[in-house]
């Protein structure tokens, strides 16, 4: 498994070589008629539960590999699969993200190759799902930016040097948190060969 130091180093390097995207990233809208029950990837790479036809082939293949690796116990809802796929599609359409991905693939090629060899499909799916869950939490947490600041400060999630800046502008904390999650999502997607 790739160490946190390598991942953090990669993310930091990427942040230095490419300014963050100016687009507002969040959860893609999901169709209301999709089931929210847990689903499993079947042997054909389709998601049981109704989302199979709406999810991209590369994501279905990754989910199928993760399912095999998990020994048939990987459970992901059709909504989760659609959310991950929707954010992937949104990222692929963003010109700045396209540039970022190319920079990652050229400037960080050795690190990416190492990560590709050490990171399993299950690790990738788990991370993508975790980021999506954090984005959901972010939507809820930042309904009240001042309270979010207080809670994140209490949990030690804010660098002390940035605290005065965030106290002046709590909305900046949401933007920075969203950007960090987006960078994690994109980096993980690149390692998973989804971008």
């Amino acid at each position: 498994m790739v160490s946190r130091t390598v991942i953090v180093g990669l993310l930091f390097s990427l942040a230095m070589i490419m300014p963050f995207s100016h687009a507002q990233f969040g959860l893609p809208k999901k169709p209301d008629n999709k089931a929210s029950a847990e689903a499993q990837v079947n042997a054909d790479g389709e998601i049981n539960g109704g989302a199979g036809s709406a999810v991209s082939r590369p994501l279905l293949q990754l989910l199928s590999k993760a399912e095999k690796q998990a020994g048939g116990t990987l459970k992901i809802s059709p909504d989760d699969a659609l959310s991950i796929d929707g954010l992937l599609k949104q990222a692929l359409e963003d010109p700045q993200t396209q540039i970022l991905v190319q920079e990652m693939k050229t400037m960080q090629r050795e690190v990416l190759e190492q990560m590709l060899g050490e990171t399993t499909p299950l690790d990738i799916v788990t991370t993508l799902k975790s980021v999506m869950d954090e984005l959901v939490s972010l939507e809820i947490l930042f309904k009240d930016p001042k309270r979010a600041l207080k809670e994140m400060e209490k949990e030690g999630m804010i660098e002390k040097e940035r605290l005065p800046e965030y106290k002046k502008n709590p909305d900046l904390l949401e933007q920075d948190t969203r950007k960090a999650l987006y960078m994690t999502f994109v980096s993980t997607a690149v390692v998973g060969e989804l971008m």
Side-chain angles (χ1 to χ4, degrees):
M1 177 167 274
V2 178
S3 72
R4 283 186 176 256
T5 306
V6 172
I7 293 172
V8 170
L10 175 63
L11 293 175
F12 181 75
S13 299
L14 295 172
M16 294 297 110
I17 62 172
M18 181 70 189
F20 286 117
S21 174
H22 296 293
Q24 181 69 27
F25 294 96
L27 297 173
K29 299 226 185 258
K30 297 178 233 168
D32 292 333
N33 62 349
K34 294 293 177 194
S36 61
E38 287 186 343
Q40 292 184 321
V41 180
N42 66 25
D44 297 323
E46 296 174 344
I47 298 176
N48 297 331
S53 62
V55 177
S56 69
R57 173 68 62 210
L59 181 57
L60 282 174
Q61 291 170 341
L62 180 67
L63 289 168
S64 180
K65 290 176 186 176
E67 173 70 15
K68 287 176 187 169
Q69 186 183 8
T73 61
L74 176 70
K75 294 185 191 293
I76 186 167
S77 75
D79 283 348
D80 289 337
L82 288 171
S83 292
I84 291 168
D85 194 58
L87 189 53
L88 281 168
K89 288 175 182 171
Q90 193 178 42
L92 287 167
E93 292 173 2
D94 179 58
Q96 288 182 316
T97 301
Q98 291 172 3
I99 293 168
L100 172 66
V101 168
Q102 289 308 311
E103 295 275 337
M104 286 175 67
K105 288 180 177 180
T106 56
M107 297 180 79
Q108 300 292 326
R109 184 178 50 213
E110 290 177 15
V111 174
L112 285 173
E113 287 173 1
Q114 178 186 356
M115 292 175 79
L116 277 168
E118 297 176 1
T119 308
T120 66
L122 185 57
D123 294 334
I124 293 164
V125 169
T126 302
T127 302
L128 292 173
K129 168 103 172 59
S130 175
V131 170
M132 294 307 297
D133 291 344
E134 289 181 39
L135 282 169
V136 169
S137 297
L138 193 70
E139 298 291 328
I140 296 165
L141 180 65
F142 280 98
K143 284 185 178 180
D144 181 351
K146 289 181 181 179
R147 182 170 178 255
L149 172 68
K150 184 189 270 185
E151 293 299 320
M152 289 178 76
E153 179 183 10
K154 185 168 65 176
E155 294 295 320
M157 298 172 69
I158 300 174
E159 296 174 17
K160 292 189 190 289
E161 307 83 52
R162 302 286 315 265
L163 194 55
E165 185 179 5
Y166 290 144
K167 283 186 176 182
K168 276 189 208 173
N169 183 4
D171 291 331
L172 182 60
L173 177 60
E174 179 182 6
Q175 293 169 13
D176 287 350
T177 305
R178 189 175 302 282
K179 287 175 185 177
L181 287 171
Y182 184 69
M183 287 294 297
T184 300
F185 186 89
V186 169
S187 298
T188 303
V190 170
V191 170
E193 299 179 307
L194 298 171
M195 299 182 89

